[in-house]
Amino acid sequence: NTVLQGRFASLFLVIAGLGLGLFKQKYNENYSIIIIKRAIFFFFVGCLNLLYWRPDIIHMYSVYFLMGIIFLRLKKEFLIIIMIMNSLLQYILLQNLNYELGFTINYDNLTYTILKNLLYDGYYPVIPWSSFLIFGILISKLDLKNMKILWTMNAIGLTILSISIEISVNPENSFDHIFSMYPYPPNVMFIFSAIGSSMTILSSCLI
């Protein structure tokens, strides 16, 4: 169960990033306005769904789409740095802030509660889940019609996933807070393994 948890949500974010990247290539001049309109749509639909399903990801797509406008303008080197910093920052936050999965309204400090949920301890927090969106944007820069690239992606993805599973199930592992593949909280190994599974599934579908 741990191997599967969070994998589909992370895959959908990678696909969203891939879609944004390809969208920019097609509509190079007007892509920002169109993405903003779609972000607004996802926000309202997601908020309605949030009334019935707390782990809703649709409303978070509005946030990620707006972030995507910025990410699409950055060079791949900066995107990779942001992905690395995401995991490091998440680890630092886990050591210093109380982690409470989900959203509990605190009217005494409502702004802090909303921001904490959005950035840190929601079901799909910006830190570090935005790494999946960034990874999708990076994939969009590849020649996805090249079979050699797709097979390489597939092999790398399987390797990453295999290494992740091997490390996380190792009985001698004394760093469960770092090497657990469980998505709550989303630590380094979860991000690493979810990227691997996303690469494997995406490339398998395109081959």
Side-chain angles (χ1 to χ4, degrees):
N1 289 338
T2 302
V3 175
L4 295 177
Q5 282 185 318
R7 297 294 178 273
F8 292 108
S10 59
L11 173 62
F12 292 151
L13 264 182
V14 171
I15 293 174
L18 173 61
L20 289 179
L22 296 177
F23 190 80
K24 179 180 181 295
Q25 294 173 23
K26 185 176 181 180
Y27 303 99
N28 190 41
E29 295 182 358
N30 302 317
Y31 72 93
S32 296
I33 297 174
I34 300 174
I35 290 175
I36 290 172
K37 290 180 179 178
R38 294 189 178 184
I40 294 172
F41 171 77
F42 279 124
F43 177 76
F44 285 108
V45 172
C47 285
L48 289 174
N49 191 48
L50 194 61
L51 297 174
Y52 304 97
W53 179 247
R54 281 298 179 93
D56 171 75
I57 193 175
I58 300 174
H59 73 288
M60 287 301 297
Y61 270 79
S62 62
V63 177
Y64 288 123
F65 270 40
L66 294 177
M67 294 178 67
I69 295 174
I70 299 173
F71 293 150
L72 288 170
R73 301 173 187 270
L74 300 178
K75 294 181 179 179
K76 61 181 180 180
E77 293 81 7
F78 288 110
L79 294 176
I80 293 172
I81 290 173
I82 293 173
M83 288 180 66
I84 295 172
M85 293 302 297
N86 251 341
S87 292
L88 291 176
L89 185 54
Q90 171 72 359
Y91 177 76
I92 293 172
L93 289 174
L94 284 171
Q95 306 309 307
N96 294 278
L97 285 179
N98 185 30
Y99 181 84
E100 299 178 55
L101 178 63
F103 184 70
T104 303
I105 297 178
N106 180 0
Y107 290 105
D108 295 330
N109 206 345
L110 186 58
T111 302
Y112 171 77
T113 303
I114 293 174
L115 288 176
K116 183 169 175 282
N117 181 263
L118 175 68
L119 299 174
Y120 172 59
D121 59 5
Y123 284 97
Y124 313 102
V126 169
I127 303 171
W129 277 74
S130 58
S131 292
F132 298 123
L133 184 82
I134 294 173
F135 188 69
I137 292 174
L138 288 171
I139 291 178
S140 72
K141 299 178 183 295
L142 301 175
D143 180 7
L144 297 178
K145 295 180 180 180
N146 188 320
M147 295 300 293
K148 184 177 180 180
I149 290 177
L150 293 177
W151 279 111
T152 302
M153 275 182 59
N154 193 272
I156 294 175
L158 284 172
T159 301
I160 290 175
L161 190 57
S162 300
I163 292 173
S164 302
I165 295 173
E166 180 66 27
I167 293 176
S168 64
V169 301
N170 189 340
E172 298 180 0
N173 174 21
S174 59
F175 297 95
D176 290 340
H177 59 294
I178 299 177
F179 295 126
S180 170
M181 292 174 61
Y182 187 65
Y184 309 115
N187 52 46
V188 176
M189 190 54 68
F190 167 71
I191 301 299
F192 187 63
S193 63
I195 284 176
S197 59
S198 296
M199 290 179 70
T200 303
I201 295 172
L202 265 179
S203 57
S204 297
C205 291
L206 294 173
I207 288 174

